[in-house]
Amino acid sequence: MRLSELKPGQTGVITKILGHGAFRKRVMEMGFVKGREVRVILNAPLQDPVKYALMDYEVSLRRAEAELVEVQLLEEWVNSKIHVDAHTEKHEDHEFSNIRKDKIINIALIGNPNCGKTSIFNKVSGAREHVGNYAGVTVGAKEGIIKYKGYLLKIVDLPGTYSLSAYSPEELYVMRYLREETPDIIVNVVVASNLERNLYLTTELIDMNRSMVIDLNMYDELQKSGVELDYKLLGKMIGVPIVPTIASSGIGLDKLLDTVIEVYEMKSNDTRHIHVLMRSEIEDCVKVLKDEFKKDRAISHHFSPRFLAIKFLERDPEIEEMLRVYPDYDKWVNIRKTLNEKIKKNLNEDITSAIAAEKYGFIQGALAETMNGGVVKEEKSTKIIDTFVTNKLFGFPIFFAIMWFMFWATFRIGSYPMEWIESLVGWISGLIGENMADGPLKDLILDGIIGGVGGVIVFLPNILILYTFISFMEDSGYMARVAFIMDKVMHRMGLHGKSFIPLVMGFGCNVPAIMSTRIIESKSSRLITILINPFISCSARIPIYVLLVGCFFPHYGAWVFLGLYMLGILIAIMTARLMRRFWLKEDETPFVMELPPYRMPTFKATMRNMWSKAEQYLRKMGGLILVASIIIWALSYFPRYESRDIPDAFRIETIAEIPEERINALGDEKVDEVVLKEYQQSHSYLGHIGKFIEPIVRPMELGWKSTVSLLAGAAAKEVVVSTLGVLYIGEDDADLLSQRLSAPSVITGKAPFSPPSALAFMVFVLLYFPCIATLTAIARETGSWRYSLFSAIYNTTLAWIFAYLTFRIALLF
């Protein structure tokens, strides 16, 4: 029978892995090998994917992929399980030719996703990288440098990887880093309570023959389970010293660094190179290729001949590419073909599955000799929470309720500190206005700096609240469940369930969200996810929404927020469907994703992440937005005009638009000032630019000032608000921007925005071209500026269409 036929609660034993290519490789790396027990836990709300328990951890598979795994019910399993003793062989030529003699040690942190590498990196190096409780948080190498006991330690936190294969961007990145950088010491971080799965990567690192230390992280979880592990004996058996640590509290990290130095100085008694011996049919074939590669020392300059031989037998694409340049490549390919046929004939299975089974057999044998008692995980809280958040009845309502509450808190709770900051900005503005002499400098400070930057900084609390929610979802493990329950929806869009994680991260900022698409193995799904990510409303748009929602929809703030975000998601879905149907061919990538246990985020970690976002926002205030505000002010301030420069036709036309009662209230002198100010703005450099493109937004009853603010948003979306502040607050320094946007003009009697035009403006801001940083990230991640250009043109076209439709529909109400 197939794994997909098992019902929740049933346990099966794997008998065969069908399928081919990336799917086979990935599921075997995750532990789906012959003889392994798999238990069905529950189905996603839409019955697909399905969550399974395997080797003391949880993983999700789509039913289509579970259909490719043959199993027998546990009670029917009568064949003996795979058992391979932990045989080791001392390496025949123990070489240390690359030992460095200085006091600098280059250390690479390598481990499975969600094993705690970044926590260790943060504790040791003092860095503030974000730690999330789901796979794929670290999307690039992070480097930290510390001084420790006379050594300079350069520590690199590499992306999480399940194996050293070229299956995913993370694995490819790690492989290339190890090949090109050649670190002095590898610190292999493994989860103490899930050794069987984590040590698969360790066996590959052993094959690579690098100086290594194993960090037995989350050791407290193993101790709580009641399991006794003789980690010192295990370290001696596999030839790698093992150090237990608890990264969250820093326990054991000093011992870890001490051991790193011992290994570097060749003083560790546990360090020796072993071979993870497999059955003779495989070993004989590995030896043939290993001997071939040993003939040319240049080949094994970065990787050991044994590692190359095993990966070449497995047809690893990165190793294939690496060896293709050698003149004997065709000869090696022919040898491999003969060896693979031999293995398949003798073992009745392909080389990839045979090697995976042997490695897991080795791990089982090693743990059988060093571990007393199996790790029985109760994880009651995880099971109870998952009963609700992944339930077919409650899963989606809970998710949407969390999203609604996040937006409600962002708008409603954030309004209180926002008012305090707004009052402070108003007080500073009044103080300067009363005590500073009139002139260009005063205008620059009031209209340019305070009107621009001050108009944006008031939204800092709203952004911090949003990031607190996102950080909590990431750290707790809920984000992985969101990907689980949304996989079927994403699959119908032509995307991967993992695509949902970058999309949710886009609520914070599109730039790191686009970078995080590296967790998606499928190239086409990754490309589509990158291109639809700008439709997800980032935190930079929040100041615009809060400003206009507070002006025109104060009683429906959460609903307007939710409606805007949902519209962005719907447009993203529509775009993904179109791209998958007409542009990028169907790509069936397996949904294999670890579901980590829930962990309560620490207050310190949440606050640290929130403060890091506050620092980024404040730096943007003092940098990009300040500069943009000054430029906008200068373009609107110059050239300067006097009353005598105003043509009589403009004066007559402008006065004719002012209501008679308003003229009587203002008086002749004030009317002249109003006419001069209108002429100054409309004939400034900025006015000429705005009026040139004003016809584009005129159907939504938006003026040239709105158009200019949208153009300024190319630098950063927050600049839209600062530009409106520069252009509107100067008209009456006593008014706040929010009041000014809804107040009738002294000339036309109309407010700059109406409720329908405000809605249209927000929709346009939601959908139009991304900021420069996002366009740059798109180009960098796709490798071409063509995709950035496509994103700018396509998004802006959709923005105009939907903004116009929104305006026309809003007029009906």
Side-chain angles (χ1 to χ4, degrees):
M1 65 186 303
R2 302 298 171 88
L3 181 59
S4 57
E5 298 175 42
L6 295 183
K7 297 178 181 179
Q10 287 187 313
T11 300
V13 179
I14 298 172
T15 58
K16 191 174 183 180
I17 304 294
L18 305 176
H20 61 277
F23 168 74
R24 285 177 57 81
K25 182 65 178 170
R26 173 42 53 97
V27 296
M28 286 188 291
E29 290 168 357
M30 298 288 286
F32 286 83
V33 293
K34 186 177 179 181
R36 182 70 56 189
E37 292 183 16
V38 183
R39 179 167 53 87
V40 183
I41 300 178
L42 54 81
N43 300 324
L46 298 178
Q47 304 303 302
D48 198 16
V50 181
K51 182 163 72 169
Y52 299 96
L54 176 76
M55 291 197 309
D56 300 315
Y57 78 103
E58 294 176 353
V59 65
S60 59
L61 285 179
R62 293 192 188 122
R63 288 187 178 275
E65 284 126 25
E67 182 72 19
L68 299 175
V69 180
E70 289 188 356
V71 298
Q72 280 189 336
L73 289 173
L74 182 61
E75 51 268 27
E76 298 174 0
W77 177 249
V78 293
N79 297 325
S80 59
K81 295 183 181 180
I82 296 173
H83 177 74
V84 179
D85 292 330
H87 293 303
T88 62
E89 177 187 271
K90 198 163 185 177
H91 190 32
E92 63 274 5
D93 51 343
H94 196 78
E95 296 180 326
F96 298 97
S97 57
N98 293 324
I99 292 295
R100 296 179 57 148
K101 301 301 181 183
D102 57 14
K103 291 289 184 177
I104 300 175
I105 306 179
N106 296 306
I107 304 169
L109 295 179
I110 299 178
N112 286 187
N114 202 43
C115 68
K117 290 185 295 80
T118 304
S119 294
I120 294 168
F121 177 78
N122 288 342
K123 284 285 185 180
V124 173
S125 68
R128 294 185 178 181
E129 293 300 330
H130 181 48
V131 181
N133 190 20
Y134 68 94
V137 177
T138 306
V139 293
K142 310 293 191 303
E143 183 175 306
I145 300 176
I146 63 166
K147 289 183 179 179
Y148 184 80
K149 294 188 176 180
Y151 280 91
L152 189 68
L153 306 182
K154 293 184 178 180
I155 307 170
V156 176
D157 177 22
L158 294 172
T161 175
Y162 291 107
S163 70
L164 298 176
S165 303
Y167 174 75
S168 68
E170 298 102 324
E171 293 169 347
L172 186 59
Y173 186 98
V174 173
M175 275 278 284
R176 289 179 176 173
Y177 179 88
L178 292 176
R179 183 181 70 190
E180 296 166 6
E181 301 299 328
T182 318
D184 299 312
I185 303 291
I186 291 174
V187 174
N188 177 209
V189 184
V190 301
V191 179
S193 58
N194 194 5
L195 283 174
E196 195 168 358
R197 207 280 313 285
N198 279 244
L199 287 176
Y200 183 87
L201 175 61
T202 307
T203 63
E204 295 200 309
L205 291 170
I206 289 172
D207 290 334
M208 194 175 280
N209 189 16
R210 296 287 181 86
S211 297
M212 184 166 61
V213 176
I214 292 177
D215 182 333
L216 196 64
N217 195 27
M218 305 181 197
Y219 190 63
D220 52 331
E221 294 184 7
L222 183 70
Q223 292 176 315
K224 290 176 183 177
S225 69
V227 172
E228 295 180 1
L229 173 68
D230 190 342
Y231 62 85
K232 291 184 179 180
L233 176 59
L234 178 61
K236 290 181 182 296
M237 289 176 60
I238 64 176
V240 182
I242 299 177
V243 181
T245 65
I246 306 173
S248 58
S249 59
I251 296 175
L253 295 183
D254 286 341
K255 176 62 176 174
L256 177 65
L257 296 181
D258 291 339
T259 306
V260 166
I261 293 174
E262 286 181 5
V263 172
Y264 180 75
E265 294 179 339
M266 295 181 290
K267 295 180 179 179
S268 173
N269 295 326
D270 294 338
T271 299
R272 65 191 182 96
H273 183 67
I274 60 112
H275 283 167
V276 179
L277 286 182
M278 296 171 279
R279 62 180 67 184
S280 59
E281 293 89 342
I282 300 175
E283 282 295 333
D284 292 342
C285 295
V286 170
K287 187 176 186 305
V288 171
L289 280 172
K290 183 178 74 172
D291 292 341
E292 284 290 329
F293 295 146
K294 276 186 175 182
K295 294 176 182 178
D296 189 342
R297 293 186 64 85
I299 297 175
S300 56
H301 182 67
H302 297 290
F303 294 135
S304 72
R306 180 179 176 83
F307 178 80
L308 289 173
I310 293 172
K311 288 297 177 183
F312 191 64
L313 278 172
E314 292 180 325
R315 298 178 184 271
D316 184 273
E318 182 68 10
I319 297 301
E320 292 267 356
E321 194 65 28
M322 175 182 164
L323 297 178
R324 199 181 302 275
V325 298
Y326 291 92
D328 289 336
Y329 176 75
D330 291 337
K331 172 187 172 185
W332 299 332
V333 169
N334 291 330
I335 293 174
R336 179 180 63 189
K337 183 179 179 181
T338 303
L339 295 175
N340 280 343
E341 289 175 354
K342 180 181 177 182
I343 290 174
K344 192 168 185 178
K345 180 180 179 181
N346 293 336
L347 302 182
N348 197 28
E349 61 181 328
D350 65 281
I351 185 64
T352 304
S353 58
I355 290 176
E358 292 295 307
K359 286 184 178 292
Y360 275 114
F362 167 80
I363 294 167
Q364 281 182 321
L367 293 179
E369 296 182 34
T370 57
M371 182 183 286
N372 292 322
V375 179
V376 180
K377 285 190 174 182
E378 293 295 332
E379 296 292 354
K380 291 182 180 178
S381 59
T382 293
K383 292 180 181 178
I384 292 172
I385 296 172
D386 272 351
T387 300
F388 293 96
V389 302
T390 61
N391 184 274
K392 63 181 179 180
L393 295 178
F394 305 120
F396 286 107
I398 288 174
F399 170 67
F400 288 118
I402 290 173
M403 299 302 289
W404 181 89
F405 181 72
M406 179 173 73
F407 299 137
W408 176 86
T410 299
F411 178 74
R412 182 61 60 189
I413 298 177
S415 65
Y416 297 106
M418 174 184 164
E419 290 175 1
W420 305 335
I421 299 175
E422 201 171 47
S423 300
L424 178 61
V425 171
W427 178 78
I428 295 173
S429 179
L431 189 66
I432 294 174
E434 294 173 2
N435 296 282
M436 195 170 181
D438 292 340
L441 181 60
K442 179 181 178 180
D443 293 339
L444 170 63
I445 295 174
L446 287 177
D447 301 339
I449 298 176
I450 296 179
V453 176
V456 179
I457 199 171
V458 297
F459 302 104
L460 177 62
N462 308 90
I463 291 173
L464 293 183
I465 290 172
L466 179 71
Y467 269 112
T468 300
F469 275 93
I470 293 176
S471 175
F472 184 86
M473 288 193 294
E474 291 177 350
D475 296 349
S476 65
Y478 179 66
M479 194 76 85
R481 270 66 183 186
V482 171
F484 173 72
I485 67 174
M486 292 298 295
D487 177 66
K488 191 165 187 178
V489 176
M490 303 302 288
H491 197 50
R492 287 175 177 172
M493 291 167 52
L495 291 176
H496 195 279
K498 288 184 180 179
S499 296
F500 200 73
I501 291 176
L503 295 180
V504 173
M505 290 181 67
F507 290 139
C509 180
N510 294 137
V511 175
I514 288 172
M515 293 174 63
S516 72
T517 58
R518 297 174 191 173
I519 68 174
I520 304 169
E521 294 86 356
S522 164
K523 290 183 179 179
S524 61
S525 291
R526 182 168 177 257
L527 178 58
I528 294 175
T529 306
I530 288 172
L531 293 177
I532 67 174
N533 205 285
F535 292 123
I536 304 303
S537 192
C538 66
S539 62
R541 295 174 172 95
I542 288 180
I544 307 166
Y545 300 158
V546 173
L547 175 67
L548 295 177
V549 168
C551 284
F552 301 100
F553 313 101
H555 302 298
Y556 305 99
W559 292 107
V560 174
F561 262 68
L562 185 61
L564 287 167
Y565 280 77
M566 290 306 298
L567 176 61
I569 293 170
L570 290 175
I571 299 298
I573 292 172
M574 179 193 76
T575 300
R577 291 281 294 175
L578 290 173
M579 288 182 175
R580 182 61 81 185
R581 182 169 182 179
F582 297 109
W583 187 10
L584 298 164
K585 63 181 181 179
E586 193 70 23
D587 191 335
E588 291 291 339
T589 302
F591 180 70
V592 185
M593 183 174 181
E594 181 181 356
L595 297 175
Y598 289 101
R599 293 189 175 98
M600 178 58 68
T602 63
F603 178 79
K604 181 180 179 181
T606 303
M607 291 298 102
R608 185 172 62 187
N609 183 46
M610 187 179 72
W611 175 244
S612 71
K613 302 305 179 185
E615 284 183 318
Q616 294 175 19
Y617 192 70
L618 292 173
R619 281 198 298 268
K620 191 184 285 188
M621 294 298 102
L624 178 63
I625 294 177
L626 174 61
V627 173
S629 298
I630 293 174
I631 293 173
I632 294 295
W633 172 84
L635 290 174
S636 66
Y637 194 78
F638 296 104
R640 301 299 295 165
Y641 297 99
E642 301 292 339
S643 182
R644 61 177 178 271
D645 299 324
I646 304 175
D648 291 338
F650 181 88
R651 188 187 303 275
I652 294 170
E653 182 181 340
T654 304
I655 292 176
E657 292 180 352
I658 304 176
E660 186 175 346
E661 61 273 13
R662 186 66 173 164
I663 293 177
N664 295 332
L666 292 172
D668 293 340
E669 185 177 345
K670 193 69 174 177
V671 168
D672 286 340
E673 290 180 11
V674 170
V675 173
L676 176 60
K677 194 167 191 67
E678 177 66 18
Y679 186 82
Q680 173 67 49
Q681 281 202 339
S682 62
H683 287 75
S684 65
Y685 298 124
L686 197 64
H688 287 299
I689 296 171
K691 286 183 176 295
F692 177 74
I693 57 178
E694 182 185 15
I696 296 174
V697 297
R698 194 176 292 155
M700 282 84 79
E701 294 185 1
L702 295 171
W704 67 266
K705 295 179 182 179
S706 303
T707 308
V708 168
S709 69
L710 291 171
L711 282 178
K717 291 299 181 278
E718 297 97 336
V719 179
V720 173
V721 174
S722 65
T723 302
L724 292 174
V726 169
L727 294 175
Y728 282 112
I729 291 181
E731 195 167 315
D732 186 350
D733 292 340
D735 284 344
L736 295 173
L737 178 57
S738 58
Q739 296 171 338
R740 183 62 199 89
L741 295 181
S742 57
S745 169
V746 295
I747 296 176
T748 63
K750 293 182 179 180
F753 287 89
S754 64
S757 65
L759 269 179
F761 188 81
M762 287 188 286
V763 169
F764 198 93
V765 167
L766 166 71
L767 301 176
Y768 83 126
F769 59 81
C771 66
I772 293 173
T774 301
L775 290 174
T776 303
I778 292 173
R780 185 170 58 243
E781 294 300 315
T782 60
S784 174
W785 279 96
R786 291 181 303 166
Y787 294 110
S788 298
L789 181 62
F790 168 81
S791 180
I793 296 173
Y794 175 78
N795 292 23
T796 306
T797 303
L798 281 184
W800 192 94
I801 294 171
F802 279 91
Y804 179 73
L805 291 174
T806 300
F807 177 76
R808 302 307 301 180
I809 293 171
L811 285 178
L812 300 177
F813 298 95

